[in-house]
Structures are given as structure tokens and as C-alpha cells.
Amino acid sequence: GQSLEQPSEVTAVEGAIVQINCTYQTSGFYGLSWYQQHDGGAPTFLSYNALDGLEETGRFSSFLSRSDSYGYLLLQELQMKDSASYFCAVRDQSGANNLFFGTGTRLTVIP
Amino acid sequence: KAGVTQTPRYLIKTRGQQVTLSCSPISGHRSVSWYQQTPGQGLQFLFEYFSETQRNKGNFPGRFSGRQFSNSRSEMNVSTLELGDSALYLCASSLEGTKNIQYFGAGTRLSVL
């Protein structure tokens, strides 16, 4: 089957850097994605890694190591509005369009 | 470009009833997926439709069903509601070839009493 593990909660200070890790297990790998979800809101796409290495999008970066079945989301210059849940996700191992999500990491940014 | 629209936003039903939720994808998106989100189980895939055909299905009982219309709009139906069906139901649309990028609607929050 598939499994994704990520920490349940992370707290960080405004202006700091935080890293949210994700380890995955899946028989067919089609890339690792990250989504953000504010309380009461819809998940929104943040980043996608298909190959090893770092992808940077503004204050957010995502890293993937396929040999380690591991990735992380890096948030820099944290702002209060970054307080949200962050989910890593892989495509279904059959290669279909649906995503298999991790249980999410709740990030709390404190002043 | 309008985003994914889900209606209604909130629903209250009683056990044994049935419910139909609606989703209008982003214009041009032909793939529509449905997810159930609960505090205990997180985001779980229900099914995906593409060109009016169910292309993939998650591990949910047959009480959960869906369909897609020629304009890519989709509905999901839950029959014989149970208390455990209380959840946020999210619809997501995507373009073929964009793989992991899905665009979610705000969801329908269903409460079963």
C-alpha cells in the first residue's frame, strides 16, 4: 500500500525558517506535491517535485530525494498568515490522477 | 478564470437520508476528483471522473456514488447517511497532463445528526 508520514504539529517564530518533512512509501512514484490548507479553507497547491533536488517558489521551497523516499517543504521568512496545515501528497500508485495525502502538519507561527 | 465551485457549502441531514453534492470544475478541466476530509482520517480519495466516466475509485462503500455530466460538472451522492459520514467533502479539478496539481473547491461541510 501507500503511506506518507509527516509531523503532526510544528511551531515556529515569525521571520524564522521552518522545515516540514515527509517520508513516503509507494510502489509507483509519480512525484511529491505539497498543499496548504487554512482552517475552513480549501487545500491549495504549493509545490511539486518529480526529480531529486530543490524547487524554489518565492518564500517556499520543496526538496525531494527519491533514493531516501523523503522530501521536505521549507518555508522562509515566516509570516503569521503561514499558520495552516501542510500536506504532502503522492499520486495514486496506479498512476491515476487522484492524490494520496499525508495526515498533514499543522504549522503555528508565533510572534 | 473562475475556480472550482461547490454547492451547497453546508448541509445538515439526519441518519438514513440521502444527499447530493455538486461541483463545477475550472473551465477546461475535464478531470474531477472527490475527497472526504475528517479530523481522524484526513483527506481520503473517493472517486475520479473524466469525460463522464468514473476512472478511479477509492475504498468507500457503495453508498457513495457519483457522476459527471458532458460539461464536466460532477455530482456525488451519499445514500442512507450514517453519523460517520459527517465530513468536509472536497472536489478538485485538474488538467490532463498536470499530474499532481489539483485545484480544490471550498468544500461542502456535511453534518449528519
Side-chain angles (χ1 to χ4, degrees):
Chain A
Q2 291 174 292
S3 68
L4 290 156
E5 289 192 16
Q6 45 182 137
S8 58
E9 293 181 351
V10 171
T11 300
V13 178
E14 191 177 14
I17 299 173
V18 70
Q19 178 174 313
I20 299 174
N21 299 321
C22 173
T23 56
Y24 61 86
Q25 182 177 1
T26 179
S27 58
F29 182 72
Y30 303 91
L32 184 71
S33 301
W34 290 91
Y35 284 77
Q36 177 194 58
Q37 185 178 29
H38 287 98
D39 286 346
T44 56
F45 172 79
L46 287 178
S47 187
Y48 168 62
N49 295 70
L51 303 175
D52 293 349
L54 193 68
E55 293 283 340
E56 297 181 73
T57 310
R59 295 188 297 113
F60 295 1
S61 303
S62 59
F63 172 82
L64 175 66
S65 168
R66 288 175 295 173
S67 60
D68 295 321
S69 298
Y70 163 77
Y72 65 72
L73 180 69
L74 192 73
L75 296 82
Q76 304 181 73
E77 301 172 16
L78 280 173
Q79 302 176 8
M80 300 300 290
K81 68 178 181 180
D82 296 330
S83 292
S85 292
Y86 293 83
F87 297 86
C88 57
V90 293
R91 282 178 65 197
D92 184 84
Q93 57 194 359
S94 70
N97 255 7
N98 60 284
L99 294 173
F100 185 87
F101 285 86
T103 51
T105 299
R106 185 168 186 86
L107 170 65
T108 302
V109 180
I110 57 177
Chain B
K1 197 179 233 187
V4 178
T5 304
Q6 290 188 247
T7 56
R9 289 295 314 276
Y10 303 93
L11 263 180
I12 300 175
K13 293 285 187 179
T14 57
R15 278 184 303 173
Q17 287 187 308
Q18 69 96 25
V19 66
T20 299
L21 313 180
S22 180
C23 171
S24 293
I26 292 172
S27 177
H29 289 194
R30 293 162 63 192
S31 171
V32 174
S33 299
W34 288 89
Y35 295 84
Q36 181 195 65
Q37 186 173 30
T38 59
Q41 299 296 320
L43 273 155
Q44 292 188 290
F45 170 72
L46 281 155
F47 27 65
E48 185 221 357
Y49 286 87
F50 180 82
S51 292
E52 302 179 65
T53 301
Q54 187 180 89
R55 191 156 67 170
N56 199 17
K57 189 177 185 335
N59 190 26
F60 277 81
R63 299 185 296 107
F64 292 81
S65 63
R67 59 177 175 168
Q68 187 179 35
F69 302 94
S70 59
N71 61 357
S72 294
R73 190 177 72 84
S74 177
E75 289 181 347
M76 70 163 280
N77 184 277
V78 188
S79 62
T80 319
L81 283 166
E82 300 177 0
L83 295 179
D85 297 332
S86 294
L88 179 66
Y89 290 88
L90 292 160
C91 163
S93 73
S94 60
L95 276 171
E96 280 297 278
T98 57
K99 312 297 185 190
N100 293 42
I101 305 174
Q102 297 201 338
Y103 298 86
F104 284 82
T108 295
R109 184 160 298 279
L110 172 66
S111 297
V112 182
L113 306 178

